[in-house]
Amino acid sequence: MLQELIDKIKKYNPTGDFTIISKAYDFAVDAHQGQKRVSGEDYIIHPTAVAEILADLNMDNAAIAAGMLHDVVEDTKYSYNDIKELFGEEVAMLVDGVTKLGKLEYRTKEEQQAENLRKMFIAMAKDIRVILIKLADRLHNLRTLKYMIKEKQYETAKETIEIYAPIAHRLGIYKIKWEMEDLSLRYIDPERYYELVEKVAKKRKEREEYINSVIKTLEDKNKEMGILAQIEGRPKNFYSIYKKMYHQNKAFEQIFDLTAVRVIVDTVKDCYGVLGIVHTLWKPIPGRFKDYIAMPKPNMYQSLHTTVIGPDGEPFEVQIRTWEMHKTSEYGIAAHWKYKEGKSSQNEFDEKLKWLRQMLEWQNEVRDTKEFMETLKIDLVIDEVYVFTPKGDVIDLPVDSTPIDFAYKIHSAIGNKCVGGKINGKIVPLDYKLQNGDIVEIITSTNSNGPSRDWLKIVKSSQAKNKIRQWFKKEKRDDNIQKGKDILDKEVKKLSNSLSIPIKNEWMESVYKRFGLHSMEDLYASLGYGGLTLNQIMMKLKEEIRKNQKIEVKEEEQLEKQIKSAQNKKKSTNTGIRVKGVENILVRFSKCCNPVPGDEILGYITKGRGVSIHRRDCPNAKDLISEPERLVEVEWNTQSTVSYNADIQVKANDRQGLLAEITSIVNESKINIVSFYSRTSKDKTANINFILEINDIEQLNKLIRRFRRIEGVVDVFRAKQ
């Protein structure tokens, strides 16, 4: 495997020194010794595959060595310092950039995902190779996703579509983006994916014949005009077709660029020459021409795109680009990477990554996990619209942006003083949606009172939203401080009373420092304007109390202590359940099994919801038994007059009058129906679900026996939610 990797690198770096790569390979083999992938293969297969993908991107030796070592810190006994000592600071920094924050505690999986992404983006800003290693890692995991369980397959594929494929798009690495999207689609919507594969395959032969005919015609005309060009058919990736069919409600036959031709020439002049030839041979479709050479995409992509009506009236797309543009379209930022032979200057490279710096700006402001993830997903996948300043400079903004977005893109002071906008010389409302080619002029006023909170609802760019929030944060600081102080002081006092201890100032100081703030006023202000939530602050405060006072503040632990310290005497609760050793404790019946008197039951201490009662044969109870310290003895109170909900499912051959007969029996038994719903499958099997008020298991069993005697009933059983 090592030799194959080095042979691949030699194709673009024939005189390189590969000592560090051989050393990294040997170290990774030793570090992952005995570890297996889910497929059963030796773990070293994965880091070697990641290194090979990086070699396909023509990356340098340090990046490839880091790709080989990317899982060592996370999954083995070796640390960051070990990598630094053996391979140097550069490789260690790259490995650290892709290492997850796995050892920290988070309340939710989404919070952990958000913090890992924050860490990765900060590392990306220092060195773009971090994300290239991460993309290579994710791509190989997708290639081997078939070995994972279905839930993990869907989760990984969905995260890829929402985060990693859009990052590859933003970096212009279409080679990786397209493969990621197609592999992910297979697990997100397998039925439609294979249906699409079949549709594409059915017409492949005739499509290839058609394209070959078009290529021959174009080649002959190019030679006649003295233009040297390589012409090839371009297959469209399945996910692009899927999006147009199912997100834009287009029929398979309506997708014009399903059939496409790519023309690669030597010069920009030849690009426009070929365009003229194409439009001479075939009629262009209005509105389907895009000049990404004059106005490149933010990810550096350049090409001419045109869609024409070809032979037999069938439309097809033509893409025209130079060899340099083609290299950029395949490898994106990797083709312009600043460390490679000094081809790109620092300023040029930084300009290409402007979007990343802007993303880092707003993510430092957004503390709420949910808001961070939602904004990130929108910012990564959003399409652009290109507009002009009055001086003719091109400005790119998210689709559906408004003059306000434009104003803040120019400068925050212009956005804050904006009172109106002119599009192509005409005054428009501030919620006008900008169109490609619009010339935008912003009307400002020194008498403006600043932005309106309503603007947050109509702007589309994260930059504009962030600048508007910053204005309110600064201008309304005193109000925010007072508002935050009122909210936090009340909650802190409540916590202090429940624990019977005063909350120390040094604990609060530690809390605001953990959020990167400088004072309690900053903490109050952040809470007041919504930068931090009360829940986030209280979670950090409770962690400080646990660390300093060894006091357990979780609700379930308080409950457990209450149960274990109480006297062993039976007290009745109004739920019909006795909890051994405790009186007046919250008891709830689990909806997954809806126990009723007569069922064998167990009690489980839950977070903030008292004791949950499960049937012993409930599937969820099997998992609970593995935590005996949270189980508590419970029993039915036979003197109780409380009624209980039971979920019954009746499966029967559908016929007229079936439901009436079933409900008649329920009425005769004097049992109340809380709710019911029924559905009939294609094979005429009726499934009827009842939630009934039952006194005990005997009454329930008697009803079930009567149901089973009904004509056509196949089965009756206790349903599980």
Side-chain angles (χ1 to χ4, degrees):
M1 288 191 296
L2 175 61
Q3 191 55 51
E4 286 177 5
L5 173 62
I6 290 175
D7 288 344
K8 187 172 280 193
I9 300 168
K10 281 182 178 177
K11 289 178 182 177
Y12 64 89
N13 186 14
T15 59
D17 179 2
F18 308 114
T19 306
I20 192 172
I21 293 173
S22 299
K23 185 179 175 184
Y25 176 82
D26 292 338
F27 185 81
V29 168
D30 178 64
H32 293 295
Q33 188 69 41
Q35 292 181 352
K36 300 281 186 183
R37 301 204 85 209
V38 178
S39 63
E41 296 174 313
D42 289 337
Y43 197 88
I44 191 63
I45 295 284
H46 172 62
T48 306
V50 170
E52 286 184 354
I53 293 169
L54 290 168
D56 287 336
L57 293 174
N58 295 0
M59 295 307 296
D60 69 311
N61 289 351
I64 293 171
M68 189 71 76
L69 301 168
H70 78 278
D71 274 337
V72 167
V73 174
E74 194 174 316
D75 294 338
T76 76
K77 63 183 178 181
Y78 294 102
S79 67
Y80 168 83
N81 288 331
D82 293 327
I83 303 295
K84 184 179 176 181
E85 186 178 332
L86 288 166
F87 297 94
E89 190 170 350
E90 183 183 8
V91 172
M93 184 275 294
L94 293 172
V95 172
D96 183 61
V98 292
T99 300
K100 294 177 186 174
L101 306 170
K103 294 181 181 177
L104 302 180
E105 289 184 14
Y106 298 96
R107 290 170 302 153
T108 64
K109 195 164 187 177
E110 190 175 54
E111 185 176 285
Q112 184 174 20
Q113 182 192 30
E115 291 310 311
N116 281 324
L117 288 169
R118 281 185 203 270
K119 178 177 184 256
M120 186 178 72
F121 282 126
I122 291 168
M124 275 171 66
K126 293 177 183 173
D127 196 318
I128 196 63
R129 290 175 294 177
V130 168
I131 190 58
L132 299 177
I133 295 167
K134 185 62 187 175
L135 290 174
D137 171 46
R138 177 52 62 103
L139 180 56
H140 185 251
N141 282 332
L142 286 169
R143 288 173 179 174
T144 55
L145 201 55
K146 64 182 178 183
Y147 298 107
M148 304 300 289
I149 60 171
K150 278 193 175 180
E151 290 77 9
K152 185 66 177 175
Q153 287 174 345
Y154 181 82
E155 183 184 304
T156 303
K158 192 166 187 294
E159 184 184 48
T160 301
I161 286 291
E162 291 178 342
I163 305 291
Y164 292 103
I167 288 175
H169 171 78
R170 279 302 194 111
L171 296 174
I173 313 172
Y174 288 96
K175 186 176 182 180
I176 285 180
K177 178 206 174 199
W178 289 330
E179 187 177 353
M180 276 186 166
E181 288 177 338
D182 284 354
L183 288 170
S184 298
L185 180 59
R186 186 185 301 176
Y187 299 103
I188 290 174
D189 195 344
E191 187 178 336
R192 284 176 170 171
Y193 171 80
Y194 288 110
E195 181 184 305
L196 192 55
V197 170
E198 189 180 343
K199 280 183 177 178
V200 171
K202 272 182 182 176
K203 292 195 171 184
R204 179 172 287 134
K205 188 177 178 183
E206 62 181 75
R207 197 162 52 246
E208 286 175 354
E209 289 175 357
Y210 183 82
I211 284 295
N212 290 336
S213 164
V214 166
I215 289 173
K216 181 71 171 62
T217 303
L218 191 51
E219 278 178 344
D220 292 343
K221 198 67 176 175
N222 281 343
K223 285 177 185 175
E224 187 183 317
M225 301 302 293
I227 296 175
L228 290 174
Q230 178 175 306
I231 309 174
E232 57 191 26
R234 183 194 66 85
K236 190 170 179 67
N237 74 315
F238 292 121
Y239 186 69
S240 298
I241 303 170
Y242 172 88
K243 277 202 303 183
K244 290 189 175 182
M245 285 179 67
Y246 300 110
H247 294 184
Q248 298 177 21
N249 294 318
K250 287 189 175 181
F252 185 70
E253 294 71 26
Q254 289 179 294
I255 300 170
F256 294 147
D257 53 354
L258 191 64
T259 302
V261 171
R262 180 178 292 145
V263 185
I264 307 174
V265 295
D266 293 328
T267 67
V268 172
K269 179 184 174 185
D270 285 345
C271 288
Y272 289 99
V274 171
L275 178 68
I277 291 170
V278 170
H279 285 177
T280 303
L281 291 170
W282 303 288
K283 287 184 180 179
I285 297 177
R288 297 284 301 174
F289 169 66
K290 292 172 184 173
D291 188 342
Y292 293 121
I293 294 179
M295 291 197 298
K297 290 186 177 183
N299 63 11
M300 303 168 296
Y301 178 86
Q302 287 184 288
S303 269
L304 297 175
H305 288 200
T306 185
T307 304
V308 296
I309 301 294
D312 305 322
E314 185 175 333
F316 67 92
E317 185 185 56
V318 181
Q319 296 178 355
I320 311 164
R321 62 180 68 145
T322 66
W323 286 102
E324 187 64 29
M325 292 171 191
H326 181 62
K327 185 181 177 186
T328 300
S329 75
E330 293 288 298
Y331 300 107
I333 200 75
H336 293 259
W337 179 56
K338 66 180 176 181
Y339 295 96
K340 292 174 66 176
E341 303 169 16
K343 284 184 181 176
S344 296
S345 72
Q346 181 72 43
N347 290 338
E348 286 175 330
F349 192 82
D350 287 347
E351 183 64 25
K352 292 176 174 74
L353 291 178
K354 192 196 296 185
W355 67 270
L356 176 58
R357 292 201 310 277
Q358 290 170 351
M359 190 176 288
L360 283 170
E361 280 179 22
W362 65 254
Q363 70 158 277
N364 287 331
E365 294 292 326
V366 180
R367 292 288 173 182
D368 181 74
T369 300
K370 189 174 181 183
E371 183 185 350
F372 171 80
M373 290 304 296
E374 285 177 357
T375 312
L376 174 64
K377 289 169 187 176
I378 291 168
D379 237 34
L380 284 173
V381 303
I382 207 153
D383 289 328
E384 291 89 18
V385 62
Y386 299 91
V387 295
F388 295 94
T389 67
K391 291 183 179 179
D393 296 327
V394 179
I395 301 292
D396 60 279
L397 289 163
V399 165
D400 292 339
S401 286
T402 65
I404 303 170
D405 291 281
F406 179 91
Y408 279 105
K409 180 88 174 192
I410 301 301
H411 198 281
S412 55
I414 293 175
N416 292 337
K417 294 295 180 182
C418 171
V419 293
K422 285 184 180 180
I423 305 298
N424 305 323
K426 294 182 180 179
I427 293 177
V428 296
L430 286 175
D431 61 355
Y432 169 86
K433 292 180 180 178
L434 300 177
Q435 306 296 316
N436 277 320
D438 279 347
I439 300 172
V440 187
E441 184 181 347
I442 298 300
I443 303 169
T444 59
S445 171
T446 52
N447 297 323
S448 168
N449 294 323
S452 161
R453 285 196 183 273
D454 291 336
W455 287 7
L456 289 169
K457 298 173 186 175
I458 60 173
V459 294
K460 292 298 176 185
S461 63
S462 299
Q463 183 181 13
K465 287 182 180 179
N466 188 34
K467 297 295 183 187
I468 294 167
R469 287 195 187 104
Q470 281 182 351
W471 187 88
F472 281 107
K473 175 179 159 186
K474 184 178 176 182
E475 295 297 316
K476 306 286 184 180
R477 182 171 170 81
D478 290 342
D479 291 345
N480 289 330
I481 288 172
Q482 189 57 52
K483 181 181 176 183
K485 188 175 188 305
D486 292 344
I487 295 169
L488 186 56
D489 286 355
K490 183 179 178 182
E491 196 65 23
V492 169
K493 186 177 180 181
K494 192 189 299 181
L495 178 63
S496 177
N497 291 337
S498 69
L499 297 175
S500 302
I501 58 167
I503 304 301
K504 296 182 179 180
N505 290 336
E506 54 261 38
W507 296 346
M508 296 304 301
E509 183 180 341
S510 180
V511 169
Y512 68 66
K513 283 182 177 177
R514 288 179 70 177
F515 287 112
L517 303 173
H518 302 291
S519 66
M520 276 303 296
E521 282 196 346
D522 288 345
L523 187 68
Y524 290 141
S526 188
L527 178 60
Y529 80 83
L532 288 172
T533 65
L534 180 63
N535 199 27
Q536 286 175 302
I537 296 172
M538 295 308 295
M539 185 182 76
K540 292 288 189 290
L541 177 57
K542 289 175 183 180
E543 286 174 8
E544 280 301 310
I545 295 171
R546 275 204 299 274
K547 187 168 70 177
N548 290 283
Q549 291 287 303
K550 308 292 184 189
I551 294 175
E552 298 294 337
V553 296
K554 287 184 179 178
E555 290 173 306
E556 68 267 33
E557 290 166 341
Q558 287 180 321
L559 185 60
E560 192 175 339
K561 186 177 177 183
Q562 178 190 357
I563 291 172
K564 289 183 178 177
S565 64
Q567 296 297 318
N568 290 331
K569 56 183 179 179
K570 295 181 181 180
K571 295 286 181 179
S572 174
T573 64
N574 62 1
T575 58
I577 292 289
R578 289 194 181 111
V579 179
K580 186 174 181 179
V582 184
E583 58 180 298
N584 298 325
I585 196 164
L586 178 64
V587 171
R588 58 184 290 276
F589 293 97
S590 298
K591 292 183 178 179
C592 55
C593 56
N594 278 335
V596 297
D599 286 331
E600 289 189 27
I601 54 174
L602 56 81
Y604 179 78
I605 302 166
T606 57
K607 183 178 179 180
R609 295 182 293 177
V611 175
S612 287
I613 308 300
H614 290 261
R615 284 169 26 205
R616 283 193 177 271
D617 63 351
C618 172
N620 292 329
K622 294 175 184 176
D623 296 328
L624 307 182
I625 292 170
S626 64
E627 299 180 80
E629 71 280 359
R630 296 179 70 174
L631 297 178
V632 62
E633 288 185 39
V634 291
E635 64 182 10
W636 294 106
N637 176 11
T638 53
Q639 277 74 48
S640 172
T641 57
V642 179
S643 59
Y644 306 85
N645 286 350
D647 197 339
I648 306 299
Q649 185 168 333
V650 179
K651 191 174 183 181
N653 297 320
D654 194 26
R655 62 175 173 81
Q656 191 172 356
L658 174 66
L659 187 58
E661 196 169 337
I662 291 172
T663 53
S664 176
I665 290 173
V666 176
N667 291 331
E668 287 172 13
S669 304
K670 296 183 179 177
I671 293 172
N672 183 42
I673 299 175
V674 177
S675 68
F676 85 91
Y677 71 94
S678 65
R679 61 210 177 279
T680 304
S681 59
K682 290 180 181 178
D683 64 354
K684 296 296 182 183
T685 299
N687 289 282
I688 305 166
N689 279 71
F690 288 92
I691 295 180
L692 307 169
E693 277 190 4
I694 299 291
N695 295 326
D696 53 38
I697 193 70
E698 186 180 338
Q699 185 185 28
L700 181 60
N701 287 339
K702 185 177 178 182
L703 183 67
I704 289 174
R705 286 194 294 271
R706 291 193 65 184
F707 281 163
R708 283 180 175 151
R709 290 197 289 268
I710 296 173
E711 180 190 345
V713 169
V714 177
D715 196 6
V716 185
F717 50 90
R718 300 270 292 277
K720 298 177 179 67
Q721 292 187 349

